[in-house]
């Protein structure tokens, strides 16, 4: 993949794990020494409320990741500030000559990463980025006309064909390489309070345990339920879903691990769940090829729809006070726990747009503020579908 580097730096982002982590694996293979970094990007944090559970989830996941790296002889350096500036500063402080990270596809991240790559290359250091959070990315599959897929069913067929042809590599075993992890005494990890966020545990009845350990617990629980997933996922009162979406969002579990689980289950439930994983890749495909969807309708015919946009109706929807029990139950679940069952996401979104006649972007922004597992591509795709 790359020439041997004397000192490599892994920049963790949406991959907060050591297990089956592409950037970690390549850095260990291609560097004599490896350092680890995470940056709390102040440009993202400044728009979040002080009690945002996602920041807490990341922080506690980083605590676990740091302890794991320390047990292997290394250190996780955690910075807070402009990612563009902080990555460059620590490259210079540590004296590394190669930066390794996994690719992101959201428009802000793409532009940020472009700036960082340019600044690191200007220092005569190398930059390597990898596919990690999806199975299929960017232009790896295209239509026979060499255009991006815009309809799910043909995309799914092409996705399955490519994955089945290429196969999924076994989970890598690079234990022998951990000795390459290294450390230098630098500043410690910033406190939540210092960054302007409340300290304390994650709230709500549906607690999502952070870190790889939390992902393993959710995965172990779901293995027992996956065979009946196709039927039981339709009933919000049944805990039949995986509760792995937040772990996928922040990379405390590998997408390849979840694919292996879906295939190994050899059940209708496994097939249905795999379908959801393919939808996730599809939405990343859309946002990569059509970044305008962040603000505009994917289908031009819907761009100029007229919405009534009654603010009182919207507030009632947000608070779970519409008088429609299933809608209100879903919104209260979201507000209290930061989670909402997928069926309820479809119901509440459809109700807001089609019954209350409110612009889908209002709902999308509210979900973005509240969902623990908020992912721009999936959230936007779901609301565009509604």
């Amino acid at each position: 993949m790359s020439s041997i580097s004397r000192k490599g730096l892994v920049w963790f982002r949406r991959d907060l794990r050591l297990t089956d982590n592409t950037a970690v694996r390549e850095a260990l293979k291609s560097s004599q020494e490896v350092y680890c970094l995470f940056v709390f990007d102040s440009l993202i944090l400044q728009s979040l409320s002080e009690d945002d559970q996602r920041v807490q989830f990341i922080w506690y996941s980083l605590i676990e990741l740091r302890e794991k790296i320390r047990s292997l002889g290394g250190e996780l350096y955690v910075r807070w500030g402009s990612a563009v500036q902080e990555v460059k500063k620590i490259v210079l402080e540590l004296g590394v000559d190669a930066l390794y990270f996994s690719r992101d596809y959201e428009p802000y991240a793409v532009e940020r990463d472009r700036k960082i790559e340019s600044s690191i290359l200007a220092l005569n250091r190398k930059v390597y980025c990898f596919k990690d959070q999806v199975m299929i990315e960017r232009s790896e599959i295209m239509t026979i006309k060499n255009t991006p897929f815009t309809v799910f069913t043909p995309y799914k067929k092409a996705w399955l064909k490519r994955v089945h042809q290429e196969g999924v590599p076994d989970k890598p075993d690079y234990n022998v390489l951990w000795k390459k992890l290294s450390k230098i005494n630098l500043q410690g990890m910033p406190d939540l309070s210092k960054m302007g966020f409340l300290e304390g545990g994650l709230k709500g009845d549906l607690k999502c345990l952070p870190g790889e350990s939390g992902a393993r617990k959710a995965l172990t629980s779901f293995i027992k339920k996956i065979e009946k997933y196709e039927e039981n996922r339709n009933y919000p009162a049944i805990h039949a879903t995986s509760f792995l979406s937040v772990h996928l969002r922040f990379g405390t579990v590998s997408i390849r691990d979840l694919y292996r689980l879906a295939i190994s289950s050899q059940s209708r439930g496994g097939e249905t769940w795999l379908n959801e994983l393919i939808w996730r890749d599809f939405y990343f495909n859309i946002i990569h090829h059509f970044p305008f969807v962040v603000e505009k309708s994917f289908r031009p015919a819907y761009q100029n729809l007229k919405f009534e946009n009654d603010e009182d109706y919207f507030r009632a929807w947000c608070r779970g006070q519409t008088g429609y029990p299933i809608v209100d139950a879903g919104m209260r679940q979201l507000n209290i726990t930061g989670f909402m069952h997928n069926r309820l996401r479809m119901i509440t979104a459809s109700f807001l747009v089609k019954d209350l006649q409110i612009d889908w972007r209002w709902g999308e922004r509210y979900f973005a503020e509240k969902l623990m597992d908020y992912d721009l591509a999936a959230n936007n795709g779901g609301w565009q579908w509604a």
Side-chain angles (χ1 to χ4, degrees), residues 309-323:
N309 290 337
D310 186 304
E311 293 187 3
D312 289 335
Y313 282 0
F314 182 63
R315 278 191 292 269
W317 179 83
C318 292
R319 296 169 181 168
Q321 297 174 346
T322 68

Side-chain angles (χ1 to χ4, degrees), residues 9-12 16 36-41 45 58-67 69-70 75-81 86 90 93-94 184 186-192 194-195:
L9 175 66
V10 177
W11 175 25
F12 288 90
L16 304 182
C36 302
L37 168 70
F38 180 86
V39 178
F40 280 104
D41 192 336
L45 298 187
I58 294 170
W59 196 81
Y60 287 111
S61 295
L62 289 173
I63 293 291
E64 180 179 305
L65 180 61
R66 184 180 64 175
E67 291 307 308
I69 292 173
R70 283 178 171 178
E75 179 62 274
L76 175 64
Y77 303 104
V78 181
R79 295 294 180 89
W80 167 47
E86 293 301 325
I90 203 162
E93 287 178 36
L94 295 173
I184 295 175
L186 297 177
Q187 68 182 49
M189 183 168 170
D191 294 331
L192 283 170
K194 179 182 178 182
M195 297 187 293

Side-chain angles (χ1 to χ4, degrees), residues 9-19 21 23-24 34-40 62 65 69 75-77 87 99-102 112 178 181 212 250-251:
L9 175 66
V10 177
W11 175 25
F12 288 90
R13 296 123 65 79
R14 292 182 52 154
D15 53 348
L16 304 182
R17 67 186 189 281
L18 291 183
T19 305
N21 184 312
V24 170
V34 175
Y35 300 93
C36 302
L37 168 70
F38 180 86
V39 178
F40 280 104
L62 289 173
L65 180 61
I69 292 173
E75 179 62 274
L76 175 64
Y77 303 104
V87 172
L99 176 67
Y100 299 79
F101 61 90
S102 298
R112 177 199 63 199
W178 290 127
L181 289 175
E212 279 196 70
F250 296 111

